[in-house]
Short mmCIF file of all heavy atoms in Angstrom, two decimals:
data_model
loop_
_atom_site.label_atom_id
_atom_site.label_comp_id
_atom_site.label_asym_id
_atom_site.label_seq_id
_atom_site.Cartn_x
_atom_site.Cartn_y
_atom_site.Cartn_z
N LEU A 654 74.20 -45.02 36.38
CA LEU A 654 74.68 -43.88 37.15
C LEU A 654 75.45 -42.89 36.28
O LEU A 654 75.50 -41.70 36.59
CB LEU A 654 75.56 -44.36 38.31
CG LEU A 654 74.81 -44.89 39.54
CD1 LEU A 654 75.80 -45.30 40.62
CD2 LEU A 654 73.83 -43.86 40.08
N VAL A 657 73.03 -40.35 35.24
CA VAL A 657 72.66 -39.45 36.34
C VAL A 657 73.77 -38.43 36.59
O VAL A 657 73.51 -37.23 36.74
CB VAL A 657 72.38 -40.26 37.62
CG1 VAL A 657 72.03 -39.32 38.77
CG2 VAL A 657 71.28 -41.27 37.39
N ARG A 658 75.01 -38.90 36.62
CA ARG A 658 76.12 -37.97 36.85
C ARG A 658 76.22 -36.95 35.73
O ARG A 658 76.50 -35.77 35.98
CB ARG A 658 77.43 -38.75 36.98
CG ARG A 658 77.56 -39.53 38.29
CD ARG A 658 78.98 -40.03 38.52
NE ARG A 658 79.12 -40.59 39.84
CZ ARG A 658 79.06 -41.90 40.12
NH1 ARG A 658 78.86 -42.77 39.12
NH2 ARG A 658 79.19 -42.32 41.35
N ARG A 661 73.51 -34.44 36.31
CA ARG A 661 73.88 -33.60 37.46
C ARG A 661 74.95 -32.59 37.07
O ARG A 661 74.85 -31.40 37.39
CB ARG A 661 74.37 -34.51 38.59
CG ARG A 661 74.65 -33.83 39.95
CD ARG A 661 76.12 -33.37 40.08
NE ARG A 661 77.10 -34.32 39.60
CZ ARG A 661 77.61 -35.33 40.34
NH1 ARG A 661 77.24 -35.52 41.58
NH2 ARG A 661 78.54 -36.14 39.80
N PHE A 671 69.05 -29.25 40.80
CA PHE A 671 69.05 -30.65 40.41
C PHE A 671 68.43 -31.47 41.54
O PHE A 671 68.80 -31.31 42.71
CB PHE A 671 70.48 -31.12 40.15
CG PHE A 671 70.60 -32.58 39.76
CD1 PHE A 671 70.29 -32.99 38.48
CD2 PHE A 671 71.01 -33.53 40.68
CE1 PHE A 671 70.40 -34.33 38.11
CE2 PHE A 671 71.12 -34.87 40.33
CZ PHE A 671 70.82 -35.27 39.03
N LEU A 673 67.57 -35.43 42.50
CA LEU A 673 67.63 -36.88 42.25
C LEU A 673 66.56 -37.53 43.10
O LEU A 673 66.72 -37.68 44.32
CB LEU A 673 69.02 -37.42 42.57
CG LEU A 673 69.19 -38.94 42.39
CD1 LEU A 673 68.80 -39.40 40.99
CD2 LEU A 673 70.64 -39.35 42.71
N LYS A 676 66.43 -44.05 42.86
CA LYS A 676 67.09 -45.05 42.04
C LYS A 676 66.81 -46.41 42.68
O LYS A 676 66.28 -46.49 43.79
CB LYS A 676 68.59 -44.79 41.91
CG LYS A 676 69.38 -44.88 43.20
CD LYS A 676 70.86 -44.62 42.94
CE LYS A 676 71.68 -44.71 44.22
NZ LYS A 676 73.13 -44.52 43.98
N PRO A 686 68.31 -40.78 47.04
CA PRO A 686 69.54 -41.53 47.30
C PRO A 686 70.77 -40.62 47.32
O PRO A 686 70.74 -39.47 46.86
CB PRO A 686 69.61 -42.48 46.09
CG PRO A 686 68.94 -41.72 45.00
CD PRO A 686 67.81 -40.98 45.66
N MET A 687 71.84 -41.14 47.86
CA MET A 687 73.11 -40.44 47.85
C MET A 687 73.74 -40.57 46.47
O MET A 687 73.64 -41.60 45.82
CB MET A 687 74.06 -41.03 48.90
CG MET A 687 73.52 -40.98 50.31
SD MET A 687 73.41 -39.30 50.98
CE MET A 687 75.16 -38.95 51.26
N LEU A 688 74.40 -39.52 46.04
CA LEU A 688 75.18 -39.54 44.81
C LEU A 688 76.46 -38.78 45.06
O LEU A 688 76.44 -37.58 45.36
CB LEU A 688 74.41 -38.89 43.65
CG LEU A 688 75.18 -38.79 42.32
CD1 LEU A 688 75.43 -40.19 41.74
CD2 LEU A 688 74.42 -37.93 41.32
N ASP A 689 77.57 -39.49 45.00
CA ASP A 689 78.88 -38.89 45.23
C ASP A 689 78.94 -38.16 46.56
O ASP A 689 79.40 -37.02 46.67
CB ASP A 689 79.25 -37.95 44.08
CG ASP A 689 79.37 -38.69 42.76
OD1 ASP A 689 79.69 -39.90 42.78
OD2 ASP A 689 79.14 -38.08 41.70
N GLY A 690 78.42 -38.83 47.59
CA GLY A 690 78.59 -38.34 48.96
C GLY A 690 77.54 -37.38 49.47
O GLY A 690 77.65 -36.90 50.60
N ARG A 691 76.48 -37.13 48.68
CA ARG A 691 75.44 -36.22 49.17
C ARG A 691 74.12 -36.50 48.47
O ARG A 691 74.07 -37.14 47.43
CB ARG A 691 75.82 -34.76 48.95
CG ARG A 691 76.06 -34.39 47.50
CD ARG A 691 76.03 -32.88 47.26
NE ARG A 691 74.66 -32.35 47.28
CZ ARG A 691 74.36 -31.11 46.91
NH1 ARG A 691 75.30 -30.27 46.52
NH2 ARG A 691 73.11 -30.70 46.93
N GLN A 692 73.05 -36.04 49.10
CA GLN A 692 71.75 -36.06 48.46
C GLN A 692 71.60 -34.80 47.60
O GLN A 692 72.16 -33.75 47.92
CB GLN A 692 70.62 -36.08 49.50
CG GLN A 692 70.47 -37.40 50.23
CD GLN A 692 69.33 -37.37 51.24
OE1 GLN A 692 69.15 -36.38 51.93
NE2 GLN A 692 68.59 -38.45 51.34
N TRP A 693 70.85 -34.97 46.53
CA TRP A 693 70.59 -33.84 45.64
C TRP A 693 69.08 -33.62 45.62
O TRP A 693 68.34 -34.37 45.00
CB TRP A 693 71.11 -34.13 44.23
CG TRP A 693 72.60 -34.26 44.20
CD1 TRP A 693 73.34 -35.36 44.51
CD2 TRP A 693 73.53 -33.23 43.87
NE1 TRP A 693 74.68 -35.08 44.37
CE2 TRP A 693 74.83 -33.78 43.98
CE3 TRP A 693 73.40 -31.89 43.46
CZ2 TRP A 693 75.98 -33.04 43.71
CZ3 TRP A 693 74.53 -31.15 43.19
CH2 TRP A 693 75.81 -31.72 43.32
#
Side-chain angles (χ1 to χ4, degrees):
L654 281 182
V657 179
R658 288 193 172 98
R661 187 269 317 274
F671 179 78
L673 178 55
K676 65 179 180 177
M687 302 291 287
L688 177 67
D689 297 333
R691 59 163 285 190
Q692 288 180 320
W693 295 82

